[in-house]
Every structure is written in C-alpha cells, then in structure tokens.
Amino acid sequence: MLLCGLVYTNAQIGPLSPLVYRTDESQQFSEFPQAESVSLTLTAVAQFYNSGASPSVSLFYRPLGGVFDKIPMINQDSLWSANLPGEAMVPPAVEYYIYADDGLSSASDPGENPQTKPYIIQICPGDGQNKPPIIVRTPQTEYKSQVPQPQGFTISLSAYVMDSAPPFARSASLYYRQWGETNYRRVAMGHISGIIWSGTIPGVDAQAPRLEYYLEASDGDLVGTAPLLNPEGNPFIIQICDTCSDPCDPPPPPLIQRTSATSALSNTTQPENVDIDITALTADNCFPFVKSARLFYRMANAVDTSYTTIHMRLVSGNLWSGIIPAHDVKNPGIYYYLFATDGEQTGRSPNILNPDQFPYFIPVGTSAATVILRTEATIRLSKEAQLEQKKLAIDVLIYDYSQPTTQTATVYYRRTGSMNEKYAQMSRDLSENRLWHAEILAADVQTPGVDYYVCAEDGTEKVCAPNSGFFHIDVRANPPPVIVHNPVQYATEGQNITISARVFDTTNFVDAVQLHYKNGANSTFISHPMRNNGGEIYAGTIAGSEVKPDSVFYYLYAVDNLGAATKTSHYSFSVDSAQVATVAPNPFTPNNDGFNDYVQFDIPALLQQSGAVHIFNLRGKRIVKITNENKWYGFDENNQLVPPGLYLYMVKINDNVTLSGTLTVIR
C-alpha cells in the first residue's frame, strides 16, 4: 500500500563526502602529448557539504613509475588550481590524481583506486634535438569539414599547437584557397590561450562549392603542418553551399539525456538510504561545446520543495555522473531533472521549458504498483490561503509500475468541516501522459478551506493519495473593491457633471465600475459604466438633461473578477435653476485709472461652492488661478501685470467646467 503525505527533513546520516572532479581544460592535457620540463596548471572543481569542516584539495603527482609527491591546490570560488612543476614533466609520462578532504570525509578524482589508476599525461622526450611543432585541429574545426557551411559567412578555424622542446612555437598561419585557384592566401593565426591558436577566413572568400586549407606553425627554426604530409596538395576541405544555412548560427542548445541505466531507475523501487548514481549523455555539435552538467533533485514529499543542485562529473567522453546522497533517498521517492550548458545556452532533460514542474521520478522504499504525487504548483496551494470563489487547479503525476496501468483518476473534495463530498473526474495530459488535471469549481471554494484527496484506478485496484485523510487548502474571504470618492455638492441646471473616483482591489483586479443616478427622490436610477482613465481612476458623466432642480441622487458600484462587489452610500447634490452668467467688461484695461480696471465673473455659486477661475495664455499655459473672489485685475501668479493681448478663461465648480471663453486685455 502506498504511504503518502510523509514529511522528511534534511537530517544527515553521517558526514557527506565531497565532490571533486578535474575541469575540461585539465582533461585536455591528457588528450595530447605535452612538452618535457614545461609546467602545467591543473584545475579542479570541489564542493564540500559538511558544515564546520576544514576543506582542502591536494594534487598528487609522480613521473611514471615514481613515488607520488603532494602539493596543495589554491581555492578561488570553488575552482582549485596547482602548478604541475616542470621537473615532474619527464618522459614518457606523468601520473596524477586530485584528493579532497574536509577532516570528516574525503573523495578523489579518479574516484576509484586513484593511486593505481591515476590520470596520465604523455610527455614528448626532449632529446636535445629541436623538432617541428605538432598541429591538431580542435573538434569544432573538424566539424566544419563535416557539415557544409553557408556562403558569404566568415569561418573561424582553431587548432592545438604543441612543441616538445625549445624554442617553442612562436607563430601559426592559416593558408586557404577557393576551389580552382592555384595559390593559397595566408592569414596569421592568433594565440588564444595555452596551446590553442585561431584564424579566420573572410566571408567574401567563403564561396561555393568549397574551400581548401592547411595549417602551419613555426618555432623560428622548424615548421610543422597539418596535414602533416604534402599539405598544399592534400589540404583539408570545407564544403560551401549558396542555399544552405549554418546549423550553428545561432548554435542550438546542447542535448542531455539519461542513460538507459538511469532511465531504468524509474521503473523499479530503489532502497532507502543508498546513494543513487544519475548518469547522462550529452551531445553538442556546435562551438562552444558542453562545459558543465548539473543534476537537480528533491525528495517527493519534503516540506521544502526547492531543488538541491549537484554539479555532475565528466566521467569520460560525453558521459556525466552525479550522486544523489543516501540521506536524501527517502520514501516515496525522488524528483530530478538535468541541465547541460555550453556557457551560452542550456539543454534540459526532460526537454521542456519547466522541467522542475514535470521532472523524472524514482520510487523509493515502497512496493506500491502506482504512485500519485502532486505537482509543485498544486503543493503550493496548501502553503498559503487561497481566495474564495476562485477555482483551484489540481494536478498530479501518476507513475505506474505494473500492468494494467491507470485508466481513470478522480479528485474528491469537500468544504472543510462539511460531510458533503463532491468529486471531479481528472483528464490526462496529451503531451505528458503521467500528468492528470482537474479543477475544483469556484462555487465550491469557500472559507474556511477545502479538503481533498486523489485516487487512481486501473480496473482492478484503487490507490489514493494521501493513503488516509485529506490534503488541505486554507481559503480566505475575498474582499470587494474599495471606492474612494469626493462627493459633488452643487451644480447648475443643465450642466454635465463628471463623477470621478479611485477604485482598487487588494486581492484581484477590478472588473467593472458603474455610476447610478436619478433626478428627484421618486424617479428610477439610471446606470452607466464608468471608464478607466488610467491606473485606479474611473470617471462617469451625469448628462446635463438629468441635472434639474432641486436635487440629483447617485451612488457608485464596483465588482472584481471573482464577483465580489461593493457600492457606496447614496449621495445627492443641489441643483440651482439656470441663470445668465456674465463676464464683463470685455475688453478691460487694468491700468488703475478707475475705469474698467478688472473683469468680473458673475456666475452663480462661484463663491459659495468650491469654484475657481483659470486664466491661460494662447500657448495653453495657465498664468493664474483665481479663488475666493470673482474678479481678475490682470495680474499673473507672480503678481506681475500681464501684457496686452488675448487670453483664455475657464470656470470650474466642483472640478466641472461650467463656463469658458476669451478675454482681451488692452491699455
């Protein structure tokens, strides 16, 4: 029977072993012969997991057949380095291994029998005779001869240049020609780093049907070539096509996939408290190639749903390995997924956008034929209260380990404290057949919460999660929108009245705002939608035809996307009968001679209500705002007399424009 709902902590069982492995750069030293008596810098990545320990990493080395010597490696951001001294670089080879220790546990690279099976670097003998440099093309350069390259694009070629004795390689050249040409063109190659040199063929010379090239390196005395024999007559070839596109422009992300042994782990139950070795194969045909791989894992029913990261070790070729430590291998199982990166792009396994949502699963410590596990998104529903009247998406991953496999899945649920149980049939995802989905209807999501469990049936057996009881989701009330409004106090008959308000929702979003108004206490309310003027500001208009003596009544109503609604109290404002408004004299002469020195705005309620007169110049700039009186003496806001000319005025009462026009100032 499946045991579900168990919670585990990260309690350790004994000290944890470090993780240590050499870098790609160090691995390259074993792929090609190195020069006698020339020091090499070896680097390694090391990670330590025991708190309070004292980590150290050491390099053990010896000439082939000698006794191992030890030197400490220096740490910089988990990258450890040490110089393999020149006196150790003795033909035919030097052997070495890397050892990590924190005082509580240790590890080495190679991981098994490092003293008897160390890494080997071949050494070219320095017999006192100078020899020409050796040139070996890099994998990305070899690849360009395997796949046609597009016409008109630059082609970068790189190579390893090795020299066994002084004077060492001082220069390198790239010689190329188009198909049918007799003479080669030369491009100087640049020294990139270590033994790597690089040169570029201009795009204008990359023409169909093909290019021919060879490489040359010199130490000042002797010259080496690639190809080694007759390079001019037997050059390397790059096919050029005028209609194809470069498969590496842009370069695709690297591929990473589980080995068959790792895939098989998901098909059988694994024992608790035993390390699990996750291995994967990478593929990358475009430069830059795979630089690192990572394993992400977490315990299936742990309280903490975040993933632990393990840097995988390159075992050989394109095979990578990462260990899930024994103390995290617990019932009911382990979720995991894989990343591989070339430093620019990342490949995933499973190869989906969010592998953490639909990871691989390894069953642990249970004999159940069917395992039901909630997705991370569904688990999160139980971590914080959800809003009432909002549907809940329940997603589970169902793993089958025997025939027949799951045919149906159902989520059973009820309001917390209720005995009225309901159910929703789950549907299987078409692209991910382990994933099943159902929704708890919004009407059933009520305070104080929702209890639920999930069952899977294969026609002969029914398995549920949890095994007994319920998963629980807290539900909190959904507060309605908030309306902040400054009521209108006064209007003039026939005047259009703009009603504005700030409306916001603290939990969801405002779906609609309405203005309801009527003329007189005994009439029927008219409803109009209010428009959003940006942000949280809404506005609506009471038509002038409805603004009649003696009063207008109105209120505001708002509803959110989940149906929670609110409305304001009923407001009213008084309406005066329309009167003739006069603005005179116009023109006027503000020269303090006692005649027509000011213009007067005879407008009802201008002084009784919150009214103001705004004066603008013809460029639309306001030059003065007049409040608490109904006269303008021709001065601006700086108390300076304005120049003669034409001006605009606007009278606003309760933020509503009641009158506007032009004024003429003369002297």
Side-chain angles (χ1 to χ4, degrees), residues 370 372 398 404-410 412 425 436 455-463:
T370 304
I372 303 174
I398 300 178
T405 58
T406 297
Q407 302 300 312
T408 61
T410 309
Y412 297 88
Q425 205 69 41
W436 294 73
C455 293
E457 298 183 64
D458 60 11
T460 62
E461 184 181 14
K462 183 176 182 179
V463 176

Side-chain angles (χ1 to χ4, degrees), residues 84-115:
L84 192 60
E87 56 266 25
M89 304 293 286
V90 178
V94 63
E95 299 176 319
Y96 76 95
Y97 66 91
I98 300 167
Y99 180 80
D101 181 25
D102 62 6
L104 299 176
S105 60
S106 61
S108 64
D109 184 28
E112 296 182 1
N113 304 319
Q115 293 188 354

Side-chain angles (χ1 to χ4, degrees), residues 228-275:
L228 184 61
L229 300 176
N230 189 22
E232 293 188 23
N234 184 33
F236 299 118
I237 295 175
I238 299 176
Q239 301 291 339
I240 305 294
C241 57
D242 55 2
T243 58
C244 65
S245 59
D246 186 355
C248 293
D249 184 23
L255 299 177
I256 182 169
Q257 62 181 16
R258 300 176 296 170
T259 63
S260 57
T262 295
S263 297
L265 294 173
S266 295
N267 299 326
T268 56
T269 301
Q270 306 302 310
E272 287 191 305
N273 302 323
V274 177
D275 289 348

Side-chain angles (χ1 to χ4, degrees), residues 152 176-178 185 201-208 210-211 240:
Y176 70 92
R177 67 183 180 188
Q178 296 177 357
R185 305 172 200 181
I201 298 175
V204 68
D205 293 333
Q207 301 296 320
R210 72 184 195 182
L211 284 173
I240 305 294

Side-chain angles (χ1 to χ4, degrees), residues 39-353:
S39 175
L40 297 177
T41 299
L42 297 178
T43 55
V45 175
Q47 295 180 335
F48 297 88
Y49 306 103
N50 298 316
S51 60
S54 301
S56 65
V57 180
S58 301
L59 171 64
F60 288 81
Y61 66 92
R62 68 181 180 187
L64 186 64
V67 177
F68 279 107
D69 202 351
K70 172 185 175 182
I71 54 176
M73 302 187 77
I74 306 302
N75 178 31
Q76 185 175 2
D77 297 330
S78 297
L79 183 67
W80 299 72
S81 63
N83 288 325
L84 192 60
E87 56 266 25
M89 304 293 286
V90 178
V94 63
E95 299 176 319
Y96 76 95
Y97 66 91
I98 300 167
Y99 180 80
D101 181 25
D102 62 6
L104 299 176
S105 60
S106 61
S108 64
D109 184 28
E112 296 182 1
N113 304 319
Q115 293 188 354
T116 58
K117 297 181 180 179
Y119 293 122
I120 297 176
I121 300 175
Q122 294 183 353
I123 308 298
C124 293
D127 53 8
Q129 297 183 0
N130 188 21
K131 296 180 180 179
I134 298 173
I135 305 175
V136 178
R137 293 181 299 167
T138 61
Q140 56 266 36
T141 294
E142 291 182 352
Y143 174 76
K144 289 184 169 72
S145 290
Q146 301 170 7
V147 177
Q149 302 299 303
Q151 180 171 280
F153 288 86
T154 59
I155 300 177
S156 295
L157 304 176
S158 56
Y160 303 112
V161 179
M162 296 162 286
D163 205 345
S164 61
F168 300 110
R170 298 179 180 179
S171 64
S173 300
L174 161 64
Y175 292 88
Y176 70 92
R177 67 183 180 188
Q178 296 177 357
W179 172 250
E181 291 183 336
T182 302
N183 298 323
Y184 285 89
R185 305 172 200 181
R186 177 184 175 274
V187 172
M189 302 182 73
H191 186 202
I192 305 303
S193 64
I195 59 174
I196 300 178
W197 296 70
S198 177
T200 300
I201 298 175
V204 68
D205 293 333
Q207 301 296 320
R210 72 184 195 182
L211 284 173
E212 299 177 329
Y213 75 95
Y214 68 91
L215 307 175
E216 181 180 279
S218 172
D219 61 9
D221 294 333
L222 299 177
V223 173
T225 62
L228 184 61
L229 300 176
N230 189 22
E232 293 188 23
N234 184 33
F236 299 118
I237 295 175
I238 299 176
Q239 301 291 339
I240 305 294
C241 57
D242 55 2
T243 58
C244 65
S245 59
D246 186 355
C248 293
D249 184 23
L255 299 177
I256 182 169
Q257 62 181 16
R258 300 176 296 170
T259 63
S260 57
T262 295
S263 297
L265 294 173
S266 295
N267 299 326
T268 56
T269 301
Q270 306 302 310
E272 287 191 305
N273 302 323
V274 177
D275 289 348
I276 295 179
D277 186 7
I278 303 297
T279 55
L281 297 170
T282 59
D284 196 356
N285 292 325
C286 296
F287 179 82
F289 301 108
V290 174
K291 292 184 177 180
S292 64
R294 286 175 288 168
L295 160 66
F296 299 84
Y297 77 91
R298 70 175 177 88
M299 293 182 286
N301 274 347
V303 174
D304 184 2
T305 58
S306 61
Y307 283 82
T308 298
T309 304
I310 295 292
H311 287 270
M312 303 182 76
R313 180 172 65 90
L314 181 60
V315 179
S316 64
N318 61 343
L319 176 64
W320 299 77
S321 171
I323 302 295
I324 300 176
H327 68 88
D328 284 340
V329 181
K330 301 290 185 181
N331 173 269
I334 295 289
Y335 284 132
Y336 75 97
Y337 62 94
L338 306 170
F339 269 18
T341 180
D342 58 13
E344 296 180 1
Q345 297 195 79
T346 299
R348 304 169 175 86
S349 183
N351 189 21
I352 56 178
L353 183 61

